Amino acid sequence: MKKLLNNWIVQVLLFLSLLGLTAYGSQMINDIIPPYLLMIAFFIGINLIMALGLNLITGVTGQLSLGHAAFMSIGAYSSAIATVNFDLPFLLGVLIGGLIASVFGVIIGFPTLRLTGDYLAISTLGFAEIVRVQFTNMKITNGAIGFLGIEGSTTFPIVMTIAVLMICLMVWLENSRNGRAMLAIREDEVASSAVGINTTLYKIQAFAIGAFCAGVGGALFAHTTTFIQPTDFGFQKSVDILSIVVLGGLGSIPGTIIGAIVLTAAPEILRPLSNYRMIVYGLLLVVIMIFRPYGLMGGVNLRQAVRRAMMFPKKKQAGREE
Amino acid sequence: MLTLEKINVSYGSIRALHGISLEVKKGEIVALIGANGAGKSTTLRTISGLLKPSNKDSRITFKDVQIQGMLPHKIVEMGLSHVPEGRRVFPEMSVYENLLMGAHSRKGKPGQADFDRVYHHFPRLKERIKQLAGTLSGGEQQMLAMGRALMARPDLLILDEPSMGLAPMLVEEIFHIIEDINVAGTTILLVEQNAHLALEISNRAYVLETGEIVLEGLAQDLATNEDIRKSYLGE
Ligand SMILES: Nc1ncnc2c1ncn2[C@@H]1O[C@H](COP(=O)(O)OP(=O)(O)OP(=O)(O)O)[C@@H](O)[C@H]1O
Ligand SMILES: [Mg+2]
């Protein structure tokens, strides 16, 4: 069984069937659930895609970034310009959004070579503000008034398929040579250099991939809401995405998934509380962090837990055979 | 194998090293001893590329290649591994993963032979391959840090105070292992506060005082030197 799973042809087949299943399943969900719930599901998917990117930068590689919304906005605006001004197909626009955000990820990745911790956080924050002000003043983005007339091309199956694609990418990366090097940088940067890890390369790589995810998320966002303005991508948005990663458990992919679901759905579920909604939401965050200081899935080794759960019935069976 | 010529290093305005020159020949164990703050760690960090000399006429040569100004990972790829002061294992990774990281600089996956070589020197690590490195004892962490460095198959291993904070029994064990590693073909540059043991296993030694080399020679000569006995061997 294990050998079979290690065969790359089997892996590719599994991967493709997973994507197919996702597309099919989400189409079914799309047809069944009410539009209001569907909208929440849309945003869970989009937030998840962006949070996976930030998880790589902050959770895995340990580079605290407070500017994730900037990459999102770059993806949103450049994809919107691509599909509206240049009449490019939607999916190509999404790809362009991701790639341009990624280029900016590399650029903002450079300060990380000299800065760490709080200092890096401040500089990413500054970068995000610069980007936001730029979009407010540019003609092509229609400034503060906002970019109108984007087609609502994003569909639920597209969001879900891309989300699953990103999860697979992150799982694969986590178990790769590159992913381990990123984790080592978070653990101890000096020791990483000492064992021959090119810390520069992997930090920039993390920013490039992380920003790509945010850009793709932003592009999907723009083509969902059909209208975007610079205030959609302020500091609050960066904090929202960071909350998902921290609440889920820094560096944990399952944690990021659960974080995206909980934190996207919570404000909607709390909507009946009207004015008290954000207070309760804030309290919820505080309470979770008190009881699970390392995040919901922090410190949980999922693979070990699953293996343990699977071992148990096996032993029982062996006993029965005796 | 390694030569340093006229190395100056400063931290901001503080000069830590003043014109250090030293040499390590193939197959040797060379000790660098000195009091706290003498600049021992600074010397090692400069060799492995983590710090840069501040003067232009400085020269660091490893295997006949000038390595000053090279990035640390390039230097590791050339066969020089540094076990930093205070072990610095990756705490949230298992022993096995730490060793795997040690082989990062080599293209391709490390073979069983690489792991076996580490287990040969450090049998205790083998029993603990699944344990998180952060939960190992201090001595075990030191062994892991050294094993991790060996995974890169270095020709020159530089060790920064491997005996720090270890019980006397364990210190002896570590020093025996260092000798074994040397006999198996790895050249060693050793920084130590425990001058007694360091001089015992070394061929040659340098004495560093406030950023300058004040004495150098055969280890056995230094071990009988009056000044050294007074200042570093506590006699
Ligand atoms: N990051 C730093 N910033 C400023 N000064 C430093 C820094 N690191 C070391 N120094 C100074 O440089 C000098 C040499 O330090 P170094 O760590 O090389 O000493 P050492 O010989 O390794 O000492 P020890 O035996 O205590 O480890 C000391 O005076 C120290 O205060
Ligand atoms: Mg030191």
Side-chain angles (χ1 to χ4, degrees), chain B residues 11 14 16 34-43 45 85 160-161 193:
Chain B
Y11 294 103
I14 307 165
N36 287 118
K40 305 179 299 294
S41 300
T42 304
T43 307
R45 284 201 287 266
E85 189 172 13
D160 198 341
E161 301 204 34
Q193 297 252 4

Side-chain angles (χ1 to χ4, degrees), chain A residues 232-243:
Chain A
D232 291 340
F233 313 103
F235 179 56
Q236 182 61 42
K237 192 77 205 176
S238 293
V239 171
D240 286 347
I241 306 170
L242 186 64
S243 306

Side-chain angles (χ1 to χ4, degrees), chain A residues 177 187-188 191 196-198 202, chain B residues 73 88 90-92 101 104:
Chain A
R177 184 169 175 274
E187 298 267 285
D188 190 326
I197 292 170
N198 185 349
Y202 292 111
Chain B
H73 70 273
R88 311 195 79 142
F90 300 119
E92 300 277 321
M101 292 316 304
H104 181 90

Side-chain angles (χ1 to χ4, degrees), chain A residues 177-202 294 299 303-304 307, chain B residues 50 71-73 76-77 80-82 84 87-93 97 100-109 148-149 152:
Chain A
R177 184 169 175 274
N178 296 30
R180 276 194 301 270
M182 290 172 184
L183 206 60
I185 292 172
R186 177 186 84 179
E187 298 267 285
D188 190 326
E189 197 169 333
V190 171
S192 300
S193 289
V195 298
I197 292 170
N198 185 349
T199 51
T200 307
L201 174 74
Y202 292 111
Y294 297 103
R303 219 175 305 154
Q304 240 171 42
R307 206 174 297 152
Chain B
L50 295 170
L71 289 168
H73 70 273
V76 178
E77 277 171 27
L80 194 162
S81 285
H82 178 183
R87 295 141 199 156
R88 311 195 79 142
V89 295
F90 300 119
E92 300 277 321
M93 292 190 186
E97 286 165 329
L100 204 59
M101 292 316 304
H104 181 90
S105 61
R106 288 169 30 212
K107 309 290 173 243
K109 274 196 173 165
R148 186 178 66 184

Side-chain angles (χ1 to χ4, degrees), chain A residues 139-199:
Chain A
K139 260 224 173 75
I140 196 164
T141 60
N142 207 18
I145 299 159
F147 198 117
L148 286 149
I150 308 167
E151 224 166 297
S153 316
T154 308
T155 67
F156 188 58
I158 287 178
V159 171
M160 281 300 131
T161 310
I162 292 178
V164 169
L165 203 76
M166 293 291 191
I167 293 171
C168 291
L169 170 79
M170 291 298 165
V171 169
W172 170 79
L173 192 63
E174 190 181 50
N175 294 297
S176 74
R177 184 169 175 274
N178 296 30
R180 276 194 301 270
M182 290 172 184
L183 206 60
I185 292 172
R186 177 186 84 179
E187 298 267 285
D188 190 326
E189 197 169 333
V190 171
S192 300
S193 289
V195 298
I197 292 170
N198 185 349
T199 51

